[in-house]
Amino acid sequence: MYRSVGSPSQDIHEHWHYVSFGLSDLYGDNRVHEFTGADGPSGFGFELTFRLKREVGETAPPTWPAELMQGLARYVFQSENTFCSGDHVSWHSPLDNSESRIQHMLLTEDPQMQPIQTPFGTVGFLQIVGVCTEELQAAQQWNGQGILELMRGVRVAGGPWLITDMRRGETIFDIDPLLQQERVDQGIETEGSNLSGVSAKCVWDDLSRPPEDEEDSRSICIGSQPRRLSDKDTEQIRETLRKGLEFNSKAALPPINSQKQSLERPQSRKDSLESESSAAIVPHELVRTRQLESVHLKFNQESGTLLPLCLRGRLLHGRHFTYKSINGDTAITFVSTGVEGAFATEEHPFAAHGPWLQILLTEEFVEQMLGDLQELNTREETKMPKEYSWPEKKLKISVLPDSVFDNPLQ
């Protein structure tokens, strides 16, 4: 924890600067991290930082940011999922346990601390930036870097160094409603969203036939014991989510590799997912791909509100979007007709590979769904459950209360 005087010439006010210690490799002897050589990442390849506005009369830094960073570090160590610039963290609680509107986080490069080379590998510095719910939602619908750039231009929202002010009562959209929202809408329209997937509370059900076949590999009913994703499927889904951080000219799902692990990445590390990520997945034998006639998708409210983002920000731009269940190995990937490498086709728009379901939606159907799902765009709490059905397309979607997923046997 450090006291920073800021930069008066840049109108950057005084603040507390926190830097983590231990996500990178401090020893190089495999005690904590696997040593992969000086040319690779040191440990997880990054440390976390945080800048908190110093209140008048404060003589010592508050300790809650250290506890917050510890919580994020614990998640990284336990899941072996890493963070990268542009990621968002849905926290759903004031970061300092107060009544603050700052209840979520975005991650970006620290403005002062540049990546360094150490004897045990390279280390970058990712800064945590506290944001309001509306700013998180805008980052999800567009991209984290775009929202952070808007915040850099608003002093009270962080300024050039993105200093978090827990007493901030206005979002960037409250401060400059027309300009900020116009830039976000324009960004979504021209660029789409670079959020390619989220961990979520979701399941899917094959309505084509009753679940009597023991060889049926779908994931399926809430409360049932799902099959495990194969390591090849896991790798492809992981690559699918990671690719959302890159601006590729042509959308494509990564191929299912014949090898279990890429030789270019350490076996003990997982690629960064876009936001909260699932725990380690136990592999099993490769199962066959099946074409389904009719499916029923079930999401909790938070996941359901991202459906318009999935359709508008991803599929209308020729991309894909994946929901990965936090309660098992279920995965649901929506793909557009322009995505290569998908096993769902226009002829067979519903296809399952074990508990991984792919759904191909045509542009015309996406536009229809956006109209039908318009109420999910509202930020107000909506009454659950919500049912949406397109009988001619043999698709049904339910948005259900969290309790259905948290207590499946009730």
Side-chain angles (χ1 to χ4, degrees):
M1 305 177 192
Y2 305 92
R3 180 172 175 173
S4 172
V5 297
S7 177
S9 62
Q10 296 178 265
D11 197 26
I12 297 171
H13 45 69
E14 194 172 353
H15 60 278
W16 303 108
H17 193 198
Y18 302 76
V19 183
S20 71
F21 194 64
L23 285 165
S24 58
D25 193 348
L26 305 178
Y27 308 103
D29 58 3
N30 295 314
R31 270 191 288 172
V32 179
H33 299 281
E34 180 183 353
F35 179 58
T36 57
D39 295 333
S42 171
F44 289 102
F46 69 95
E47 293 289 353
L48 294 170
T49 75
F50 183 65
R51 295 176 185 270
L52 177 67
K53 181 182 177 182
R54 177 178 173 268
E55 301 296 339
V56 176
E58 244 178 6
T59 57
T63 58
W64 66 261
E67 297 171 2
L68 180 73
M69 295 166 76
Q70 272 190 329
L72 294 177
R74 188 179 303 113
Y75 160 77
V76 172
F77 272 99
Q78 290 177 351
S79 69
E80 292 190 337
N81 290 316
T82 60
F83 293 120
C84 63
S85 181
D87 280 356
H88 73 264
V89 179
S90 303
W91 200 251
H92 300 291
S93 177
L95 304 187
D96 61 352
N97 294 316
S98 67
E99 299 298 318
S100 174
R101 292 186 68 180
I102 309 299
Q103 301 187 8
H104 309 280
M105 293 167 270
L106 297 178
L107 294 167
T108 189
E109 294 91 352
D110 189 283
Q112 281 185 304
M113 303 182 69
Q114 301 301 310
I116 59 173
Q117 181 69 46
T118 76
F120 310 133
T122 57
V123 183
F125 295 90
L126 288 178
Q127 180 175 322
I128 300 165
V129 182
V131 296
C132 302
T133 298
E134 295 83 352
E135 293 157 351
L136 172 78
Q137 291 172 341
Q140 291 173 328
Q141 294 177 33
W142 181 22
N143 63 69
Q145 296 293 11
I147 299 303
L148 289 166
E149 191 58 36
L150 293 180
M151 294 178 66
R152 288 187 181 96
V154 181
R155 185 178 185 271
V156 297
W161 288 9
L162 294 169
I163 299 167
T164 298
D165 180 1
M166 294 303 297
R167 295 189 179 185
R168 174 162 69 96
E170 295 180 305
T171 72
I172 57 174
F173 307 107
D174 296 328
I175 296 168
D176 195 346
L178 293 179
L179 177 61
Q180 309 293 11
Q181 190 60 56
E182 181 180 316
R183 290 181 65 182
V184 172
D185 290 341
Q186 184 181 15
I188 297 172
E189 188 69 27
T190 58
E191 302 169 15
S193 172
N194 75 336
L195 181 67
S196 63
V198 292
S199 291
K201 292 182 179 180
C202 63
V203 293
W204 60 269
D205 196 359
D206 177 7
L207 300 181
S208 309
R209 60 182 180 181
E212 298 173 350
D213 183 0
E214 291 184 358
E215 297 302 316
D216 184 355
S217 58
R218 60 196 174 91
S219 170
I220 337 320
C221 296
I222 300 175
S224 66
Q225 185 65 33
R227 294 287 189 100
R228 290 293 187 180
L229 284 171
S230 73
D231 53 348
K232 296 175 184 178
D233 292 339
T234 300
E235 184 67 17
Q236 187 178 12
I237 293 174
R238 188 179 299 150
E239 287 292 310
T240 296
L241 300 186
R242 186 179 65 83
K243 286 293 183 182
L245 302 176
E246 303 172 4
F247 294 93
N248 296 324
S249 59
K250 196 167 188 179
L253 286 169
I256 299 178
N257 297 321
S258 59
Q259 295 178 333
K260 293 183 179 180
Q261 288 278 351
S262 167
L263 298 178
E264 296 179 355
R265 60 176 66 89
Q267 291 187 347
S268 63
R269 296 285 180 258
K270 298 178 184 177
D271 290 325
S272 169
L273 299 188
E274 190 61 33
S275 65
E276 311 103 289
S277 303
S278 63
I281 296 171
V282 179
H284 82 305
E285 70 282 356
L286 188 64
V287 295
R288 62 189 176 90
T289 299
R290 295 192 301 110
Q291 281 76 44
L292 314 180
E293 292 297 322
S294 178
V295 296
H296 183 190
L297 312 181
K298 303 171 185 178
F299 301 96
N300 74 332
Q301 183 171 5
E302 183 179 5
S303 303
T305 58
L306 292 177
L307 284 168
L309 151 69
C310 161
L311 300 173
R312 179 188 176 201
R314 297 294 296 180
L315 269 67
L316 284 184
H317 290 265
R319 300 173 186 170
H320 49 80
F321 189 90
T322 295
Y323 287 94
K324 173 66 184 71
S325 173
I326 62 174
N327 295 325
D329 282 351
T330 303
I332 302 169
T333 296
F334 292 91
V335 299
S336 65
T337 53
V339 175
E340 296 181 347
F343 44 79
T345 65
E346 288 193 57
E347 184 180 1
H348 300 288
F350 309 129
H353 194 79
W356 182 13
L357 175 69
Q358 284 189 10
I359 300 177
L360 187 145
L361 302 176
T362 63
E363 183 174 343
E364 181 182 3
F365 188 26
V366 169
E367 294 283 7
Q368 179 186 345
M369 291 179 67
L370 278 171
D372 296 338
L373 299 173
Q374 190 171 5
E375 64 182 332
L376 294 178
N377 276 316
T378 64
R379 292 171 181 169
E380 300 177 359
E381 290 286 326
T382 55
K383 188 177 180 181
M384 298 289 108
K386 291 288 183 182
E387 301 285 347
Y388 306 92
S389 182
W390 298 269
E392 73 283 0
K393 299 293 185 179
K394 300 183 179 180
L395 174 64
K396 181 179 179 181
I397 294 178
S398 297
V399 182
L400 306 170
D402 274 18
S403 58
V404 175
F405 298 86
D406 297 336
N407 302 291
L409 299 181
Q410 293 185 0

